[in-house]
């Protein structure tokens, strides 16, 4: 057994959807979450900058004595998987488990992907899918407006701001006749009810947060590294002022946030690298 915490990081707060799933699957585990809110978004940054930030975020979590690290960020998972694989503890992102779930779910081989501009530009999901089956027909669309929709709480199934935006982005997938859609950013599962309504029940949505949390649970089980404690605890860190964190975090976690939120200065991240 291993009572050390699970480390989770994201460019902002979207990775809390992974934390939510971890808490559902493994309520006995302690979790340390770092949201790089001072440097968000990553999705519009250069690959060099994303890799640099990934190294710093991971180093911060390693300083908290975590037993594994999840990059709960489609952009990091797509652009810097080698940075994750070089760490001293098991570390992985959202791409591999999510792509594997999509490959298993599709019936007609037509798979859609939505993500940030950097995720779509990297082609990471498509590469993993085509390794499993070169015949897969993959359609990828960047949906940058989905992030502010979620963070402003415009996610209700009848929201008159979100619905037209979702319809606009989903048109390509209707034309491509996909039967499976990867929600390739951890913000996007919160828009799943609207997306499902627009595409219909014939399309299976793949929740990157759910699949990534399931991969973590399996990894810890296989390594006999699950905690044998009772109720786990969460610690939250951000790299900008924490005002407003509780409100946005509640959207992602589906519960009120009672825990204290600590601020980590960007220069502290630099000092804690490697």
């Amino acid at each position: 057994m291993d009572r050390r915490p699970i480390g989770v990081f994201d460019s902002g707060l979207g990775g809390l959807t992974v934390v939510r799933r971890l808490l559902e699957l493994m309520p006995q585990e302690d979790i340390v979450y770092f949201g790089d809110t001072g440097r968000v978004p990553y999705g519009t940054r250069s690959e060099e900058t994303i890799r640099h930030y990934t190294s710093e975020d991971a180093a911060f979590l390693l300083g908290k004595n975590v037993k594994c690290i999840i990059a709960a960020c489609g952009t990091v998972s797509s652009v810097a998987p080698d940075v994750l694989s070089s760490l001293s503890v098991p570390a992985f992102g959202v791409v591999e488990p999510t792509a594997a779930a999509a490959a298993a779910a599709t019936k007609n081989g037509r798979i859609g992907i939505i993500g940030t501009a950097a995720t779509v530009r990297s082609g990471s999901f498509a590469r993993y899918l085509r390794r499993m089956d070169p015949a897969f027909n993959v359609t990828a669309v960047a949906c940058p407006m989905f992030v502010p929709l979620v963070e402003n709480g415009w996610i209700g199934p009848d929201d008159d701001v979100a619905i037209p935006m979702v319809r606009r982005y989903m048109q390509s997938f209707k034309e491509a006749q996909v039967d499976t859609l990867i929600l390739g950013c951890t913000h996007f599962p919160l828009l799943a009810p609207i997306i499902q309504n627009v595409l219909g029940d014939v399309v299976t949505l793949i929740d990157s947060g759910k699949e990534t949390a399931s991969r973590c649970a399996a990894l810890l089980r296989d390594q006999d590294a699950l905690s044998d404690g009772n109720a786990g605890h969460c610690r939250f860190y951000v790299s900008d002022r924490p005002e407003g964190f509780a409100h946005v975090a509640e959207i992602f976690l589906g519960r009120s946030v009672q825990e204290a939120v600590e601020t980590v200065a960007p220069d502290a991240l630099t000092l804690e690298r490697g």
Side-chain angles (χ1 to χ4, degrees):
M1 298 296 177
D2 191 336
R3 293 187 176 179
R4 290 180 297 166
I6 298 168
V8 182
F9 76 90
D10 187 17
S11 59
L13 303 185
L16 291 171
T17 57
V18 175
V19 174
R20 179 177 183 168
R21 295 295 192 175
L22 289 170
L23 292 171
E24 291 171 356
L25 287 174
M26 298 177 288
Q28 79 281 7
E29 296 290 341
D30 290 340
I31 298 172
V32 178
Y33 181 85
F34 173 63
D36 196 4
T37 51
R39 303 188 293 195
V40 67
Y42 285 10
T44 57
R45 309 280 187 171
S46 68
E47 290 193 10
E48 179 183 3
T49 298
I50 294 166
R51 292 168 59 82
H52 179 75
Y53 289 174
T54 300
S55 296
E56 293 183 340
D57 298 348
F60 172 77
L61 289 176
L62 288 172
K64 301 301 178 185
N65 193 33
V66 297
K67 59 186 172 185
C68 69
I69 291 176
I70 298 174
C73 174
T75 300
V76 167
S77 306
S78 299
V79 173
D82 57 319
V83 176
L84 299 175
S85 65
S86 69
L87 299 177
S88 58
V89 300
F92 57 93
V94 301
V95 173
E96 288 187 62
T98 307
T106 186
K107 300 295 191 296
N108 68 3
R110 296 176 178 269
I111 300 173
I113 302 161
I114 54 176
T116 65
T119 295
V120 171
R121 186 169 60 244
S122 75
S124 58
F125 281 104
R127 280 197 302 277
Y128 277 106
L129 288 166
R130 289 181 175 130
R131 284 179 194 171
M132 288 177 273
D133 189 340
F136 282 148
N137 184 310
V138 180
T139 301
V141 175
C143 302
M145 295 304 297
F146 279 4
V147 171
L149 285 177
V150 170
E151 293 190 350
N152 283 281
W154 297 330
I155 57 176
D158 300 318
D159 191 280
D160 57 4
V161 176
I163 290 172
M165 191 65 65
V166 171
R167 285 176 175 161
R168 187 183 184 109
Y169 282 134
M170 293 302 109
Q171 187 58 39
S172 296
F173 303 118
K174 288 186 172 183
E175 294 170 359
Q177 299 181 326
V178 305
D179 75 343
T180 305
L181 178 67
I182 289 173
L183 308 181
C185 171
T186 46
H187 282 69
F188 296 176
L190 293 173
L191 288 167
I194 302 176
I195 294 171
Q196 194 77 75
N197 286 340
V198 170
L199 293 178
D201 293 338
V202 294
V203 177
T204 300
L205 305 184
I206 306 298
D207 181 336
S208 56
K210 177 182 178 181
E211 301 304 333
T212 304
S214 296
R215 171 67 64 88
C216 181
L219 171 70
L220 296 180
R221 192 178 303 112
D222 290 346
Q223 295 188 351
D224 196 24
L226 291 168
S227 173
D228 60 352
N230 295 316
H233 301 281
C234 292
R235 285 182 284 162
F236 299 108
Y237 298 87
V238 294
S239 57
D240 200 1
R241 296 169 61 186
E243 287 82 358
F245 174 90
H247 171 69
V248 178
E250 186 173 344
I251 296 173
F252 288 103
L253 289 173
R255 67 167 175 85
S256 61
V257 176
Q258 306 298 327
E259 298 89 347
V261 183
E262 298 184 41
T263 304
V264 182
D267 60 347
L269 292 173
T270 302
L271 290 172
E272 293 191 37
R273 286 184 70 194

